[in-house]
Amino acid sequence: MTDHKKKRGPRPFSVLRQFLDSEASGGLILMASAVLALLAANSPLAGAYFGVLHAYVGGLSLLHWINDGLMAVFFLMVGLEIKREILDGQLSTWPRRILPGLAAAGGMAVPALIYVWFNIGGDPRLVNGWAIPSATDIAFALGVISLIGSRVPASLKVFLAALAILDDLGAVAIIAVFYTADLNMTALGLAGAALALLAVMNRMGVMRLLPYLVVGAVLWACVLKSGVHATLAGVALALAIPLRPAPGRPDDVKSPLHRLEHAINPWVAYGIVPIFGFANAGVAFGGLSADSLTGPVPLGIALGLFVGKQVGVFGTAWIAIRAGIASMPAGAGWLQLYGTALLCGIGFTMSLFIGGLAFPGMPEMGDPVKVGVFAGSTLSALLGWLVLRFAPRGDGIYRD
């Protein structure tokens, strides 16, 4: 065998490309899990479905373990993605951050304003759900894009991924600031000590993952008891994981952040997120009241996602590009950008998650939140798919 035919090592792969591929296929699985949850909740299996979710294991219900335990790993993944993209990826320079950053800000503000407009005159506790329609489910959105194929320019997929990552960063900040219960100062102090230890390990150049994961588990337990939502421990741990910038070598085995991200990405995309969707998407339609379908909460969420996201994302992007502040994604046209903005109205995972935090002591709000999230996300997905499917292709010219 000649030298040039000898077996070569594994080809380096793009973290962003792997991320987009896994999120897209994971989004399709998430769609299926949501459908299964709705079928289970409206079938003879409904008793078993809800019974298992509310069964207690180790002092917490199974649903609590999923939402506070498994989702901490999801937020660890979110934190790793945010850190990598900002330090060594598509968001590593200000020119790259401008368009998705402005669009993400508009896409969070306008849906929140629409929700508040629907709920400001009623029960003041309902206004607390203002952040529910502000989130974008990147897995679901990329899953819809994957159904369209090559008609969507790669630049728009990157734009959507970057926007959703910044959107997730905003959601993390919102959860930390606005959805924190009464604080247990002892537990919070221990969490601070664990976080300080992680920072010291990072500064000392500790490159092995195991010490970070052990201290991260202690951090999660302390945050769980502190009154701050436990999933934020995942984000805090991610920020402490060392990253060695490696342009062109995103699979660099010497970078702990890359190794951890590659290790947990399939588990999050194909396991944790679908499990969360199955556990939280079940709505028994037979028992829904009129307020659950047409009340200010479901209407505010649905219209916040469907109307607010497209107005906020596309409107802000249009202004930024027309003003010369940012550039149109390469090869994309205005109608394609509008279709992408529509897909940002698919809230699902993060919207359901925030909905579970927004109304403490009001379990009756669970179904109205789910109805609003389903309605807004479904409308956004269908219209976004139609626009992108039949939109003329962009001119292929990158406009600075």
Side-chain angles (χ1 to χ4, degrees):
M1 182 180 292
T2 59
D3 290 342
H4 70 278
K5 292 183 179 181
K6 289 181 179 179
K7 185 178 180 181
R8 298 177 181 176
R11 293 176 60 190
F13 54 85
S14 163
V15 166
L16 184 62
R17 182 174 298 278
Q18 184 202 35
F19 167 72
L20 292 173
D21 291 344
S22 65
E23 291 288 339
S25 52
L28 298 176
I29 297 174
L30 176 59
M31 295 180 202
S33 70
V35 172
L36 288 176
L38 290 173
L39 292 175
N42 293 277
S43 73
L45 298 174
Y49 171 76
F50 291 109
V52 169
L53 289 177
H54 292 93
Y56 274 73
V57 179
L60 297 175
S61 69
L62 183 59
L63 183 62
H64 199 164
W65 277 114
I66 292 171
N67 290 350
D68 282 33
L70 286 182
M71 287 300 283
V73 182
F74 167 80
F75 275 87
L76 170 61
M77 185 70 192
V78 167
L80 294 173
E81 291 166 355
I82 291 171
K83 181 173 181 177
R84 171 177 49 77
E85 289 299 328
I86 289 178
L87 296 182
D88 192 32
Q90 288 299 317
L91 300 172
S92 60
T93 64
W94 281 110
R96 291 180 173 182
R97 296 170 189 164
I98 291 174
L99 186 62
L102 292 175
M108 297 187 77
V110 178
L113 291 173
I114 290 177
Y115 177 90
V116 170
W117 187 82
F118 272 92
N119 289 273
I120 193 67
D123 187 336
R125 296 177 298 174
L126 299 183
V127 178
N128 204 41
W130 62 270
I132 298 172
S134 296
T136 295
D137 189 319
I138 185 172
F140 225 129
L142 290 173
V144 174
I145 277 187
S146 73
L147 298 176
I148 304 170
S150 61
R151 292 190 62 87
V152 180
S155 63
L156 278 182
K157 298 176 184 178
V158 173
F159 166 75
L160 177 59
L163 185 152
I165 287 169
L166 292 172
D167 194 292
D168 285 344
L169 180 59
V172 168
I174 288 170
I175 293 169
V177 175
F178 296 100
Y179 297 121
T180 294
D182 295 333
L183 297 178
N184 179 327
M185 299 310 296
T186 300
L188 193 61
L190 292 173
L195 192 56
L197 179 57
L198 287 170
V200 169
M201 290 163 55
N202 183 293
R203 293 289 294 176
M204 292 179 62
V206 176
M207 301 299 285
R208 293 181 58 212
L209 280 171
L210 183 58
Y212 289 99
L213 298 180
V214 171
V215 178
V218 174
L219 174 64
W220 175 84
C222 294
V223 173
L224 178 67
K225 298 293 185 181
S226 71
V228 179
H229 201 272
T231 52
L232 296 179
V235 178
L237 172 59
L239 298 181
I241 301 296
L243 169 66
R244 285 186 176 181
R249 294 185 293 111
D251 54 346
D252 184 7
V253 295
K254 295 182 179 179
S255 176
L257 187 144
H258 289 148
R259 297 204 314 271
L260 181 59
E261 187 177 8
H262 293 162
I264 68 174
N265 191 12
W267 294 96
V268 171
Y270 304 128
I272 291 173
V273 172
I275 288 172
F276 172 86
F278 182 75
N280 288 272
V283 179
F285 292 112
L288 292 180
S289 64
D291 281 347
S292 297
L293 297 172
T294 61
V297 168
L299 281 179
I301 295 172
L303 292 178
L305 286 169
F306 180 60
V307 176
K309 276 292 186 179
Q310 59 175 292
V311 171
V313 172
F314 183 74
T316 306
W318 185 87
I319 292 171
I321 293 170
R322 285 297 189 189
I325 299 172
S327 303
M328 172 74 82
W334 285 109
L335 196 56
Q336 290 175 315
L337 184 62
Y338 173 64
T340 305
L342 278 167
L343 293 185
C344 292
I346 304 175
F348 206 73
T349 302
M350 196 67 81
S351 291
L352 288 176
F353 186 83
I354 294 175
L357 305 177
F359 306 111
M362 301 177 69
E364 69 276 9
M365 298 310 303
D367 284 347
V369 166
K370 293 177 183 179
V371 168
V373 172
F374 287 158
S377 298
T378 302
L379 287 172
S380 298
L382 290 175
L383 187 56
W385 181 86
L386 285 171
V387 170
L388 288 172
R389 174 64 181 81
F390 296 104
R393 296 174 186 267
D395 57 20
I397 299 174
Y398 186 83
R399 292 175 288 279
D400 289 324

